[in-house]
Amino acid sequence: MSEPTPRDTLIARYLDGLLEGDELREFESALASDASLRSSVELDRRIADRLDAMLHPGAAFSIRGNRENASSSDSNRRRWKLIGTIAAALVIVAAIGIAYRIQVGASGSFASATREPIEIYRTTIERGFEPAWVCEDDAQMLSYTRERFGRGLLFEPVPGLTLVGWGYANGVLSDLTLSLLVEHGKERILLLVDRSRDDRALEDPALTDPTLHMFRRKIGRFVLYEVTPRDRPLLLDAAYTARPDLELAPGQQGPGIDRSSRQ
Amino acid sequence: MPQVSRTAEAGANVPAGIVASRLDREGFGVRFSGSRRKLWWVAVSILGRREHADDVLQEAALIALGKLDEFDPVTSFDAWMAQIVRYVALNAARKVHRRSSHHEHYAADTHESPVEHESPIDADGVLSQDRGAFDDRVLGALRALPEQARVCLLLRVLEGLSYRDIASMLSIPEGTAMSHVHRARTSMRRHLEKGDRP
């Protein structure tokens, strides 16, 4: 392995959830202005995401039952008889596995410290509601979300609503969680976006700040949380997943929600 | 004089005050099931793939069951099992390599492709054109890492283990585990960045 530079170490510590306080603020501020740094962080996350997709126990973590062994050889039977004493424990594995996945996030893939929506919302406001990444049009939005999540996510225009840009919210659901910064007049809304398989029970921001509300919607492979000072969501219903074959030219608007398929 | 548990001092996850006893088969099953996810990553990091990892764990469990008398309950169960899993996984990797070499030789005569590819269609039915190539490079970069760095990386990034737990499991200092993870991340990213250049 080659020797990491101080920049490499900083990136690794950031992704590891080890940066705190001023160090974290400085790094995230650098992320907003340094495209090369952003690109490195994105690549690192993408690598982790693909490793998770390819190597995670998932279905392979199942227990082979007796039915499978019914026709196996005698030696196999002896083998399974021997391991029979731990078979019951293996059943527990499934339960533990499921419980673990629920507890640490469905993919169990993130190592960052868990962060709650209220923390992300406050931090984003404190930093001037500045995005780290701006998508100029639907084509960029499609490309960005497709690359990050494997499926494109787009939004129909909502009168009075401005999509300011994307921010990082790693640690909320996984280390891939993004926050979409949205303005409605003077109101500032945050949409947390991640894969639905990483969903977990998030702490309601209203518990800490009664002026905030949170709404959830699952759409395709995405789960969206709208954190807003309004008592109803504005953006959730405007979100739609793009068809896998959809391609958009720069400046071209997405096709919008296919309402014909809705009951 | 207060009773001091050597077990707890040794980090074997037994609460202080409880004197460790030898593992019986039932106890092994409980401990093994609790450690199985972590051991899975040890197997995968050596095999470099998900396939056969389950078999490796089962074989390791059988070996461990036959050696229960050798397990010292004042030591870490995870570390003991990780060593067995490593040994079994290394053997399995050699066998897979031999079979793969044979298969490649056979395929050369029959024009059969020996390479198993992950389906380019994902769970949502989405066709990803570049995913296969990118995934190949990611796995290539992973396999290029030293074995211990691979284990540390997977346990930390994909399993979310603390450095303390990783260190205990692999019998290495925490700082070494962290260094492995950070270097491995950097190394993989550079590997992929290099590949991105035209």
Side-chain angles (χ1 to χ4, degrees), chain A residues 1-5 7-9 11-13 15-18 39-41 43-64 79-80 82-83 85-86 89-90 92-93 96-97 100-101 104 107-111 146 149-151 175 220-221 244 247, chain B residues 25-26 28-30 32-34 36-37 40-41 44 48-50 54-55 57-59 61-62 65 118 122-127 129-131 134-136 138-139 142 144-146 149 153-154 156-161 163 178-190 192-193 196:
Chain A
M1 287 188 289
S2 47
E3 202 60 33
T5 64
R7 179 180 180 272
D8 291 328
T9 304
I11 291 173
R13 290 184 60 226
L15 291 167
D16 215 358
L18 299 176
S39 165
S40 292
V41 169
L43 178 58
D44 215 313
R45 283 181 165 143
R46 197 175 164 206
I47 290 169
D49 185 43
R50 292 313 302 153
L51 281 177
D52 184 41
M54 290 186 284
L55 301 178
H56 202 272
F61 221 47
S62 61
I63 297 151
R64 295 171 188 178
R79 184 176 188 235
W80 280 98
L82 188 58
I83 208 167
T85 47
I86 59 169
L90 294 183
I92 297 170
V93 170
I96 289 174
Y100 186 89
R101 284 165 74 85
V104 303
S107 76
S109 64
F110 69 93
R146 187 176 276 168
F149 298 109
R151 188 74 186 257
D175 65 356
R221 68 163 50 189
E247 296 295 337
Chain B
R25 289 191 166 211
E26 191 180 346
F28 171 82
V30 172
F32 180 75
S33 65
R36 198 161 189 262
R37 275 185 69 103
W40 163 273
W41 292 114
V44 165
R49 60 176 70 187
R50 183 159 56 182
D54 221 22
D55 293 337
L57 289 198
Q58 287 180 23
E59 193 172 337
L62 286 172
L65 275 170
E118 184 186 5
D122 69 15
D124 289 349
V126 179
L127 175 65
Q129 294 168 339
D130 298 327
R131 180 165 291 171
F134 184 78
D135 286 355
D136 285 347
V138 169
L139 287 180
L142 179 71
L145 296 173
L153 180 76
L154 298 185
R156 176 66 179 173
V157 175
L158 301 189
E159 185 61 16
L161 278 196
Y163 284 117
M178 187 186 289
S179 173
H180 275 317
V181 172
H182 292 181
R183 282 164 179 261
R185 287 195 98 135
T186 300
S187 177
M188 288 196 67
R189 193 180 65 248
R190 284 185 185 168
L192 272 290
E193 279 171 344
D196 281 340

Side-chain angles (χ1 to χ4, degrees), chain A residues 194-207:
Chain A
D194 208 331
R195 299 166 299 190
S196 55
R197 66 177 180 144
D198 286 331
D199 198 12
R200 69 177 175 95
L202 294 178
E203 187 181 294
D204 188 348
L207 291 174

Side-chain angles (χ1 to χ4, degrees), chain B residues 24-193:
Chain B
D24 57 16
R25 289 191 166 211
E26 191 180 346
F28 171 82
V30 172
R31 299 287 288 273
F32 180 75
S33 65
S35 301
R36 198 161 189 262
R37 275 185 69 103
K38 292 180 263 184
L39 298 170
W40 163 273
W41 292 114
V42 174
V44 165
S45 66
I46 290 168
L47 296 169
R49 60 176 70 187
R50 183 159 56 182
E51 293 78 10
H52 308 300
D54 221 22
D55 293 337
V56 164
L57 289 198
Q58 287 180 23
E59 193 172 337
L62 286 172
I63 292 173
L65 275 170
K67 292 176 178 284
L68 276 187
D69 287 348
E70 294 178 21
F71 173 63
D72 181 351
V74 302
T75 60
S76 162
F77 177 80
D78 284 352
W80 180 63
M81 275 308 304
Q83 282 183 339
I84 298 174
V85 168
R86 178 179 179 272
Y87 166 79
V88 175
L90 283 170
N91 275 340
R94 283 187 206 108
K95 283 180 198 166
V96 168
H97 179 71
R98 277 201 296 271
R99 274 204 301 272
S100 168
S101 301
H102 171 76
H103 194 74
E104 280 170 18
H105 177 73
Y106 175 75
D109 290 338
T110 61
H111 307 290
E112 180 189 348
S113 170
V115 183
E116 290 176 16
H117 290 289
E118 184 186 5
S119 169
I121 310 288
D122 69 15
D124 289 349
V126 179
L127 175 65
S128 173
Q129 294 168 339
D130 298 327
R131 180 165 291 171
F134 184 78
D135 286 355
D136 285 347
R137 287 162 52 211
V138 169
L139 287 180
L142 179 71
R143 288 168 186 152
L145 296 173
E147 179 197 314
Q148 201 166 67
R150 280 201 304 268
V151 186
C152 291
L153 180 76
L154 298 185
L155 285 173
R156 176 66 179 173
V157 175
L158 301 189
E159 185 61 16
L161 278 196
S162 69
Y163 284 117
R164 186 179 182 180
D165 287 344
I166 296 173
S168 164
M169 187 167 184
L170 303 180
S171 307
I172 57 176
E174 277 185 52
T176 304
M178 187 186 289
S179 173
H180 275 317
V181 172
H182 292 181
R183 282 164 179 261
R185 287 195 98 135
T186 300
S187 177
M188 288 196 67
R189 193 180 65 248
R190 284 185 185 168
H191 189 105
L192 272 290
E193 279 171 344

